[in-house]
Amino acid sequence: MASKLLSSGHYMPLLGLGTWQAAPGDAEKAVLAALEAGYRHIDTATVYKNEKEVGNAIQSWLKCGAGRREELFVTTKLPHIGNRPNDVKIYCTKSLQSLQLEYLDLYLVHMPFTFKPDDTGEAPAKHNDGTFVLEETDHKEIWNEMESLVKSGLVRSIGVSNFNSKQLERLLSFAEIQPAVLQVELHVALQQPELQQLCRNSCVTLTAYSPLGSPGSKDHFKNKYGRNDFDFPDILNDPRVIEIAERLKRTPAQVLLKFLVQQEIAVIPKSVNPQRIIENSQIFDFELPQEDIERLQSLDRGPKGRIVNFLFFKGVECHAEYPFVSELQQ
Ligand code: A2P
């Protein structure tokens, strides 16, 4: 499976299994199915609440002798309630324990903004009106601690997620260890060409989450946050994607993933379905012709294509580091 050399000097497989919205029981089976199907890159996060099950699957796979730890690339993320310098190592250590690993391949600052934890310390605190309690975020101080994780050997590469161009540029200006990866929502309906260019110019590798347009998000946001006011792009059923897939004898999912991978953007499609996990991995034995790349480029809807704008966190748009303020004004 193709890999990309990161600025940290480590290789990251261009295809990983995403586990956002994978319930703990499903996540364990999905990770095992993915490892058996040849995936070597697994993406999770503290806020997904499935690190333990992801770790169980990795341990089962290692114990049965199918492969070695060094072959795997495991990513997890510092949660929004841990976005302060003193908490970075604490949350990283907790994740390592849950994942039952001695080191992480990649640790990401999950979100550029910070919520105060509630009394359980596990979830964000809320005001009486349901809005989240916001806290100031000092990216520079947090990044210093992320760099310490690399120096102490707990983590091999570090990066950020959901940062906008401005936030990334600022981070690049003071980082001693440059961010190796930026993980953001990226798919044909939200291509973010300027952000892509900034990453290319700065040797930051992009990882695309929701590369299939996250068809599970409508139900997820409705069930978890009671929100029902979304107009998401249905890219898997876009007639132009289907036309390309039929002509190339591939599936729409394979076309959408290949579109990104062919541009050296890593993808982490989420699936808990073993057949779809295999389907999503069969993207390295064909190329999209340039005309099809151009057709797919024309499906960009700009900010209107965004699915994950975090407004399901009530009040987040008031945070000084909320990344999509300018989009809300459009
Ligand atoms: P499931 O987990 O039941 O397979 P994204 O990675 O863009 O967030 O998309 C994940 C969503 O897409 C999940 O709801 C997942 O459902 C579904 N999915 C994953 N792979 C495929 C595929 N090859 N074809 C259609 N739907 C898919």
Side-chain angles (χ1 to χ4, degrees):
M1 224 172 257
S3 289
K4 177 122 195 262
L5 180 61
L6 304 177
S7 63
S8 58
H10 298 283
Y11 283 89
M12 179 171 80
L14 280 169
L15 171 72
L17 180 76
T19 64
W20 179 44
Q21 297 177 21
D26 291 340
E28 186 161 340
K29 288 188 217 128
V31 171
L32 208 46
L35 292 171
E36 283 165 3
Y39 288 61
R40 293 293 175 265
H41 172 177
I42 308 293
D43 182 273
T44 180
T46 304
V47 298
Y48 302 166
K49 308 253 182 247
N50 58 23
E51 285 175 315
K52 188 162 176 286
E53 291 71 19
V54 169
N56 289 345
I58 292 173
Q59 291 309 316
S60 313
W61 183 80
L62 291 172
K63 277 191 195 122
C64 77
R68 292 170 296 118
R69 166 68 184 99
E70 304 81 71
E71 294 168 36
L72 301 180
F73 190 97
V74 182
T75 304
T76 191
K77 311 183 191 92
L78 177 71
H80 43 31
I81 56 167
N83 248 354
R84 57 188 77 68
N86 289 342
D87 280 349
V88 171
K89 189 167 178 193
I90 294 172
Y91 277 97
C92 179
T93 308
K94 270 194 203 173
S95 286
L96 282 166
Q97 274 164 2
S98 303
L99 286 162
Q100 305 153 63
L101 296 176
E102 287 178 1
Y103 70 90
L104 295 170
D105 295 278
L106 179 63
Y107 197 49
L108 301 175
V109 178
H110 200 158
M111 293 156 205
F113 47 80
T114 311
F115 296 142
K116 186 175 174 206
D118 66 8
D119 293 340
T120 68
E122 302 284 331
K126 291 182 190 170
H127 296 291
N128 288 340
D129 64 358
T131 55
F132 285 64
V133 183
L134 311 178
E135 273 191 9
E136 272 183 39
T137 315
D138 186 337
H139 290 166
K140 192 162 191 288
E141 291 300 313
I142 291 168
W143 195 252
N144 281 343
E145 294 302 316
M146 295 289 283
E147 291 172 335
S148 298
L149 297 177
V150 177
K151 290 171 193 165
S152 65
L154 291 179
V155 170
R156 297 212 160 154
S157 303
I158 47 177
V160 291
S161 183
N162 298 304
F163 276 42
N164 64 23
S165 299
K166 242 180 165 174
Q167 290 166 328
L168 181 64
E169 274 179 317
R170 192 167 162 264
L171 172 58
L172 289 162
S173 75
F174 58 65
E176 184 193 324
I177 299 177
Q178 297 284 293
V181 170
L182 171 67
Q183 184 182 121
V184 290
E185 179 186 344
L186 196 68
H187 43 73
V188 288
L190 178 70
Q191 296 185 34
Q192 312 193 68
E194 297 84 14
L195 187 62
Q196 284 197 39
Q197 194 55 50
L198 171 64
C199 288
R200 254 178 242 117
N201 294 347
S202 322
C203 298
V204 176
T205 296
L206 267 170
T207 298
Y209 74 72
S210 301
L212 304 175
S214 199
S217 275
K218 260 190 191 165
D219 279 348
H220 178 74
F221 292 153
K222 189 168 164 209
N223 298 337
K224 194 160 177 200
Y225 302 102
R227 307 251 340 210
N228 207 6
D229 48 345
F230 303 106
D231 167 31
F232 293 152
D234 184 2
I235 55 178
L236 276 166
N237 288 308
D238 188 296
R240 292 155 294 186
V241 175
I242 292 173
E243 186 278 316
I244 295 172
E246 284 176 353
R247 182 161 37 78
L248 299 179
K249 301 194 170 39
R250 297 284 162 168
T251 66
Q254 290 168 336
V255 168
L256 293 172
L257 297 174
K258 187 69 187 191
F259 172 67
L260 297 168
V261 162
Q262 205 162 307
Q263 301 176 74
E264 297 232 296
I265 296 171
V267 291
I268 46 168
K270 173 263 176 184
S271 181
V272 294
N273 174 311
Q275 265 153 1
R276 288 200 281 264
I277 287 172
I278 293 171
E279 174 189 329
N280 295 343
S281 72
Q282 293 170 337
I283 55 172
F284 295 101
D285 58 346
F286 76 109
E287 290 285 305
L288 291 169
Q290 184 56 28
E291 308 85 75
D292 288 332
I293 293 275
E294 283 163 22
R295 274 188 199 106
L296 292 164
Q297 277 168 338
S298 74
L299 302 189
D300 191 5
R301 288 174 50 174
K304 288 197 173 58
R306 189 179 297 285
I307 296 163
V308 187
N309 62 9
F310 297 116
L311 295 181
F312 48 83
F313 294 143
K314 234 176 140 190
V316 69
E317 66 278 15
C318 299
H319 197 289
E321 297 288 357
Y322 176 70
F324 310 129
V325 171
S326 59
E327 292 183 12
L328 294 183
Q329 290 155 357
Q330 285 177 24

